Amino acid sequence: MSASLETVKQFLQLAEACITDRAAYVAVLHPEVERLEFPNLHNKQVQRRNFEDIVDGIREGRELLARQELAGWNFIISNDNTIVAEIRWRGEMSIRNERVVPGQVITGHYCRVFELKEGLIFRIRDYFCYEMF
C-alpha cells in the first residue's frame, strides 16, 4: 500500500472520529492545504477551506452529530500523488432545526479527490451527493 493512501486513510479516520486536536492533523495535512467543496444539498456555493477551517468544520460536525460512519471505501490511485476516494457517509443528527430532528440518519455518497505534496494532503476536492431527507 502506498504511503499516500495511508495518509488519506489516516485523515479519513481522524475525520470520522471527529478528532479536533489540530496536532493530529499536522501528520496528514500540508500547512497550505486547500479544500474545495462543490455545491450540494447543504452548500449552494463552492466552499473553500484552509487547514484551520477544515479542523473547525470537523468540530462543527461533532456538535451536529450523535455519530457518523464512513463506509464503503473505494480508492483509486491515479498516481503516487493523487487518490480518488468513493465513500458512503451516514450521520445521526443530534440537533433539531427546520430540516432535521435528533436521531434522524442522513446518508451521503462522496467522491473526494486528494492531491498530496511532500507526503501530505495538499488539495481536497469534494463532490458530495446527499440522499433526500
Side-chain angles (χ1 to χ4, degrees):
M1 189 173 309
S2 76
S4 296
L5 181 56
E6 284 301 315
T7 299
V8 167
K9 284 183 174 183
Q10 185 179 353
F11 169 75
L12 292 171
Q13 290 166 346
L14 289 167
E16 180 180 33
C18 291
I19 303 298
T20 58
D21 177 10
R22 284 172 167 68
Y25 292 93
V26 169
V28 294
L29 295 178
H30 192 280
E32 298 171 11
V33 66
E34 179 182 51
R35 177 179 170 233
L36 296 175
E37 180 181 335
F38 289 93
N40 58 65
L41 188 61
H42 296 290
N43 291 305
K44 302 303 179 200
Q45 298 179 0
V46 171
Q47 303 292 308
R48 292 183 183 276
R49 295 182 176 94
N50 61 22
F51 186 101
E52 296 297 320
D53 297 334
I54 291 169
V55 179
D56 287 345
I58 291 168
R59 176 179 292 107
E60 290 170 8
R62 185 174 70 182
E63 294 169 2
L64 298 174
L65 299 169
R67 65 174 184 80
Q68 70 174 340
E69 173 190 68
L70 299 174
W73 296 8
N74 181 37
F75 297 100
I76 300 165
I77 302 172
S78 174
N79 58 49
D80 195 43
N81 295 318
T82 303
I83 300 198
V84 178
E86 294 176 300
I87 302 164
R88 185 186 68 244
W89 172 85
R90 286 197 175 123
E92 181 182 333
M93 304 306 297
S94 64
I95 58 129
R96 176 183 305 278
N97 66 25
E98 65 278 356
R99 297 175 70 187
V100 298
V101 297
Q104 182 176 357
V105 175
I106 298 173
T107 301
H109 305 276
Y110 297 174
C111 178
R112 305 186 86 177
V113 180
F114 296 90
E115 293 179 33
L116 289 88
K117 177 179 173 182
E118 301 166 359
L120 300 172
I121 298 169
F122 183 63
R123 296 281 182 262
I124 305 170
R125 290 187 305 279
D126 287 331
Y127 304 87
F128 295 161
C129 179
Y130 294 95
E131 293 181 7
M132 297 306 289
F133 57 91

